[in-house]
Amino acid sequence: MDPVNNLYEVYSKNTKTSCEFMEKAKTVMPEGVTANIKSFAPHPIVMEKGHGAYLTDLDGNKYVDYLLSYGALMLGHGHPEIIEAITAQLHSDGTALFGTPHRLEVEMAQKVQEHYPSMELVRYTNSGTEATLLALRLAYSYTGKYKIAKFEGHYHGGYDQVLLSVNPPVNEAGPVNEPNAIIESKGVDPYHQEHTIILPFNNIEACADILTKYKDEVAAVVLEPIQGGFIPAEQSFMDGLRKLTEELGILLIFDEVKTGFRLGLGGAQSVYNIKPDLTALGKVVGGGFPVGIIGGKKEILMVSAPTSASDVFDNSQSKQSAAKDVLFHSGTYNGHPTILTAGLKTIEVLEREIDQVMETTDELKKCIEALFTAKGIAMKAVGKGTIFNVVLTEKEEILNYRDLQQSDFVTRKIIDFHLLNHGIYTKPLNRYSLSTVHGKKEIDLTLEAYENVLSKL
């Protein structure tokens, strides 16, 4: 029997109830999921419980969780201090939602600014995707230019302007130094292929050529300082990009949805000592709840400051059409008090414990690399801070999307399914994120599983 099909058979047998549940789910949701990222063949695992560093599925299988909701749960599942804090907030405030300004909006902003001083003013959103979307609108409004530049292999959310060249076929991606803009979803207007310029990551010379060519049209460069959360930018590249964007009058946007509070309390910008014009945060800063924060230079954020004469909802102003004079941004749940409570508590815990998470991550990376080396399998644990990925490659360095495409994804996927059958969870081919509750016990279980799996290859 084909080894992959045999592996799927064992996996399906171990997760029989998940398979049955997904068939039922398909009757109410397309392919049984409400987010494409949750789906994978032959079927995703349906979880029933989470506690600490562990998930338990419908069949009662227990897993050490390294997905952590794509990195969001940096305190693990059901952290007691978060539960205590949000319970107290609900009892104290007497409501889950005010629909008005409230004290926690200011407290959270001040706490974020302690660690991200580049965020002179902030606005809250309901996701990292919304934060990057607002960042682009701010850039358009502030500069008066209406193209953006993003990097090949970088993801900033599921909307039209940035759903290009996230994971393009290399044979369609064009020249290394001037990548094509490849649409990555049905329903994306081809207009965006002309208005979203694609840049090569970690290649400042090529970026300079492209951005100089489009400097009068490009409002902002948006990037993940750590591509996919695990491929780091080189320091010289980051220094060069900051200098270049300033010289050309282009805003620099850091999408730190993945890296915020995961590379350190101050995110990637503290690691690289770079001050972006705008920063988008999400994931960790919500403490397990949906959140996004956009912040940056005061003069840019003030473009969105409301005035009584420019209110899109004020019917008395409609004859003047004055609303067009202010960047519109709103949302019923922006700055939700329960979410900000969870976020504040998360930061408080990380201020005490983040160093330990970094040390645990480093130890796990070294040990996994040693196991692969002992088996004679070329592999690198690529990443910084509390995130990394297992990349099967003989290349000395992984610097960008095209370098990553030369790795052995087939063997990596086989390893991942074996690990799932041994109680180690991440979505196949995904990165690893650690939390404050991943300790020696979890690391030992992980290394034991890896040793068992690698012995079968």
Side-chain angles (χ1 to χ4, degrees), residues 74 349-363 385-386 434-440 443:
M74 201 165 167
V349 173
L350 290 177
E351 287 171 338
R352 303 192 311 257
E353 301 182 19
I354 191 169
D355 288 345
Q356 183 59 50
V357 189
M358 306 269 273
E359 291 172 12
T360 302
T361 308
D362 285 341
E363 180 66 19
T386 65
L434 272 76
S435 74
T436 57
V437 293
H438 282 77
K440 185 178 185 304
I443 300 308

Side-chain angles (χ1 to χ4, degrees), residues 63-200:
Y63 306 85
V64 181
D65 181 17
Y66 287 104
L67 190 69
L68 292 174
S69 294
Y70 296 91
L73 299 175
M74 201 165 167
L75 306 192
H77 298 274
H79 195 284
E81 291 191 50
I82 289 183
I83 292 174
E84 182 181 356
I86 62 177
T87 301
Q89 176 267 320
L90 288 167
H91 282 294
S92 173
D93 292 351
T95 182
L97 190 64
F98 290 109
T100 69
H102 58 90
R103 60 181 177 80
L104 287 170
E105 292 175 323
V106 174
E107 288 181 26
M108 180 58 135
Q110 291 172 333
K111 177 56 70 175
V112 168
Q113 288 168 337
E114 283 181 30
H115 299 295
Y116 296 81
S118 69
M119 299 173 75
E120 297 170 3
L121 291 177
V122 306
R123 275 281 179 111
Y124 299 105
T125 66
N126 296 294
S127 68
T129 290
E130 285 187 20
T132 61
L133 181 60
L134 178 56
L136 298 185
R137 182 181 284 183
L138 284 164
Y140 295 153
S141 179
Y142 183 76
T143 65
K145 297 183 283 186
Y146 290 91
K147 288 185 179 180
I148 62 165
K150 72 171 289 287
F151 286 86
E152 186 177 66
H154 292 214
Y155 176 76
H156 305 292
Y159 54 94
D160 287 9
Q161 291 130 296
V162 292
L163 265 181
L164 293 101
S165 297
V166 177
N167 191 23
V170 174
N171 63 345
E172 299 177 16
V176 170
N177 290 340
E178 194 171 359
N180 294 333
I182 306 296
I183 290 176
E184 299 275 22
S185 171
K186 287 185 175 181
V188 172
D189 192 330
Y191 165 92
H192 295 289
Q193 283 184 295
E194 301 297 324
H195 287 75
T196 299
I197 310 302
I198 306 301
L199 302 172

Side-chain angles (χ1 to χ4, degrees), residues 299-316:
E299 61 265 31
I300 301 174
L301 268 293
M302 283 301 291
V303 172
S304 66
T307 68
S308 58
S310 302
D311 184 352
V312 73
F313 292 116
D314 185 349
N315 293 330
S316 68

Side-chain angles (χ1 to χ4, degrees), residues 27-52:
T27 66
V28 292
M29 294 178 287
E31 200 55 29
V33 296
T34 189
N36 289 20
I37 199 169
K38 295 181 181 180
S39 179
F40 62 88
H43 62 265
I45 301 174
V46 182
M47 298 300 178
E48 187 169 43
K49 295 179 182 178
H51 180 72

